[in-house]
Amino acid sequence: MKVNVVVAGHIDHGKSTLIGRLLYDSESIREGRLAEIQQLAEEYKKRFEFAYFIDSFEDELKEERTIDTTEVMFKSKKALYSIADVPGHKEFIKNMLTGASHAELAVLVVSAQEGVQEQTRRHAFLLKMLGIKRLFVVVNKMDVLDYSEESFRTVREDVGAALTSLGYSDVSFIPASAAEGENIYRSSQRMKWYRGPTLIEALDQVNLSLEPKPLRFVVQGEYRVESQEIIVGRVIAGLMKIGDEIVVQPSDTRTKIERIRVFPADQERAQSGDSVGLVIDGVAKRGDVLGLVGSAPMAVRRFWGEVVLLDGSLGKGEELELRCGTNRVKCEVREIKEKISAETGAIVEAGPSEIGENEAATVLLATEPLVVERFSDIPELGRFVLVKGNRHIGVGVVLEALE
């Protein structure tokens, strides 16, 4: 079983170090990587850090910060984990949303020294906004405070209050030192006052019930191969087989799957996560979404979304571009229902005329015909990007499709 986990938190609270420790202790580091990192650390006169195991760019090693979403995989005794490390800086919120959008579980890292900070609250809000229900809080850097139980309780109380305000109720708190490997993969002998699970034990204990989802195939392009039109794309949910009757949206065209190709061979079926080529009796183009007859997606012209603005301002009546899946359409802001605190999730203003940078809001968007799904149902078709003048100014999730 593969489990998707996102690790979030304020800058320098130890996210990358924690993931590096998980990779190291699970023996998931490829041969030779340790020597490479030690050499880089010496070159830049840095102390060796477990965080360097997952830094994608040499620039990050120089600057000691994560500037993009990094995804790594490791195995425990019970599951295969895909873990996304996302930036803690405010300016990298868009990457954070991308990294979190596929996650079933979240780990929020909080420094025992600093406690709740601005990005702690913001990341918690975004995780809740993205519908991630199971959350673990790692109170990190306990070694700096001599593994004090009192310090842990203080941070747990403060973080717990912030999460309760967002609607989280069942949250696990784990005192840890990622740098020293305490309570990450092995139980700490320095915090015997803590009798709960280590982080990996807590993750392994989660029982994810995976409900079957309807077929959704997102078209990425069309190609001609051996005198045949091949529709290339990715199955983002469900299962398809040769002979299945399908509907192409937003054109609402009914057709049939004649061949499923993974070059150069054919195969009988494809399932969620597979990238394949299709031969169908009909036409489909980039941006289209395919589903089975009887459970096909619907194209809509209006939907409610929750938006976080990353740049500039956004006002009622404004026209811009919306990108969802592989589609790009024009859209208009029809209504701003309420402004939401991006730190607490609380409604701070009803019916504002506009929102500004780093503010969030519930918005009614009108578009050209477009396939969207509630984020809680099909995440890949439930998130979108707002573009203005070739700038990504906002990101959001679909709350409800209307018509």
Side-chain angles (χ1 to χ4, degrees):
M1 178 179 68
K2 179 185 173 185
V3 181
N4 297 308
V5 182
V6 61
V7 180
H10 194 75
I11 178 176
D12 292 335
H13 279 204
K15 303 182 306 299
S16 298
T17 301
L18 182 147
I19 300 174
R21 171 60 73 174
L22 284 171
L23 292 175
Y24 182 78
D25 287 352
S26 64
E27 300 180 350
S28 300
I29 308 298
R30 67 174 173 79
E31 187 175 350
R33 180 60 172 155
L34 180 60
E36 289 175 8
I37 292 171
Q38 287 175 327
Q39 182 177 347
L40 275 173
E42 290 173 6
E43 181 179 344
Y44 295 117
K45 301 188 183 334
K46 305 287 187 183
R47 185 171 67 89
F48 174 83
E49 299 283 356
F50 281 97
Y52 297 159
F53 282 130
I54 61 168
D55 282 334
S56 293
F57 307 105
E58 195 168 310
D59 285 345
E60 293 188 17
L61 184 56
K62 296 176 184 176
E63 298 183 25
E64 295 183 318
R65 64 175 186 171
T66 303
I67 60 175
D68 202 351
T69 298
T70 305
E71 190 170 19
V72 295
M73 300 184 74
F74 75 95
K75 276 187 176 181
S76 72
K77 293 179 180 179
K78 294 187 177 180
L80 172 66
Y81 290 95
S82 173
I83 295 192
D85 171 38
V86 295
H89 297 68
K90 183 187 297 184
E91 59 267 32
F92 302 132
I93 287 292
K94 182 180 69 176
N95 288 341
M96 186 270 177
L97 282 170
T98 302
S101 61
H102 300 284
E104 291 113 4
L105 309 175
V107 176
L108 184 64
V109 182
V110 183
S111 166
Q113 277 182 298
E114 299 184 7
V116 177
Q117 299 293 311
E118 177 188 4
Q119 291 304 312
T120 309
R121 296 181 184 277
R122 190 177 296 273
H123 280 193
F125 167 75
L126 293 171
L127 293 172
K128 186 66 176 180
M129 169 183 164
L130 290 171
I132 299 174
K133 298 180 175 64
R134 196 68 179 93
L135 178 64
F136 301 88
V137 177
V138 172
V139 180
N140 194 29
K141 303 189 179 184
M142 289 295 298
D143 52 305
V144 179
L145 299 179
D146 199 27
Y147 304 101
S148 165
E149 181 179 5
E150 182 179 352
S151 298
F152 168 69
R153 290 183 182 276
T154 298
V155 174
R156 183 178 65 181
E157 183 176 337
D158 291 344
V159 178
L163 295 177
T164 298
S165 71
L166 292 172
Y168 278 109
S169 56
D170 183 20
V171 179
S172 300
F173 289 82
I174 302 168
S177 168
E180 301 298 326
E182 306 284 348
N183 281 341
I184 304 299
Y185 229 82
R186 58 177 172 80
S187 296
S188 174
Q189 297 303 306
R190 297 171 177 173
M191 292 181 280
K192 292 185 177 180
W193 45 264
Y194 172 72
R195 295 178 176 82
T198 63
L199 176 59
I200 191 61
E201 289 171 344
L203 294 174
D204 278 348
Q205 288 170 9
V206 176
N207 181 22
L208 293 174
S209 56
L210 301 177
E211 298 180 2
K213 294 183 178 182
L215 171 68
R216 296 293 183 265
F217 179 86
V218 175
V219 179
Q220 297 171 334
E222 318 133 72
Y223 300 91
R224 178 170 287 274
V225 179
E226 300 171 356
S227 300
Q228 274 192 321
E229 290 291 336
I230 306 293
I231 307 302
V232 177
R234 185 168 181 265
V235 183
I236 61 171
L239 172 72
M240 64 166 61
K241 305 183 301 296
I242 292 177
D244 280 343
E245 292 189 339
I246 58 173
V247 177
V248 180
Q249 292 287 14
S251 65
D252 198 29
T253 304
R254 186 164 173 164
T255 183
K256 181 181 289 187
I257 298 175
E258 298 180 354
R259 298 175 69 182
I260 300 175
R261 306 197 64 183
V262 177
F263 298 101
D266 284 13
Q267 60 185 44
E268 290 295 317
R269 59 177 59 200
Q271 62 186 3
S272 181
D274 291 343
S275 294
V276 298
L278 298 182
V279 176
I280 63 175
D281 181 18
V283 177
K285 64 182 186 304
R286 180 177 176 82
D288 287 349
V289 180
L290 282 56
L292 297 178
V293 170
S295 60
M298 297 297 295
V300 302
R301 292 178 180 271
R302 296 188 307 153
F303 69 88
W304 285 103
E306 197 161 88
V307 171
V308 177
L309 201 63
L310 308 174
D311 185 19
S313 62
L314 185 68
K316 183 177 177 180
E318 194 159 349
E319 296 182 351
L320 55 165
E321 182 183 79
L322 184 145
R323 300 179 183 178
C324 180
T326 56
N327 210 347
R328 300 182 178 190
V329 297
K330 295 178 180 178
C331 78
E332 179 187 345
V333 180
R334 286 286 175 85
E335 183 181 343
I336 302 177
K337 183 179 180 181
E338 54 204 13
K339 187 183 296 186
I340 302 168
S341 168
E343 293 186 3
T344 67
I347 297 172
V348 295
E349 184 181 351
S353 59
E354 69 174 18
I355 59 172
E357 186 173 333
N358 296 316
E359 293 184 329
T362 304
V363 175
L364 178 63
L365 295 169
T367 74
E368 300 172 14
L370 173 70
V371 174
V372 296
E373 306 266 6
R374 286 184 299 185
F375 183 85
S376 57
D377 295 336
I378 310 286
E380 291 83 352
L381 291 173
R383 64 178 185 270
F384 58 88
V385 177
L386 297 177
V387 181
K388 184 178 180 181
N390 293 320
R391 292 181 297 114
H392 290 189
I393 68 163
V395 292
V397 295
V398 177
L399 301 177
E400 194 69 42
L402 298 180
E403 58 184 37

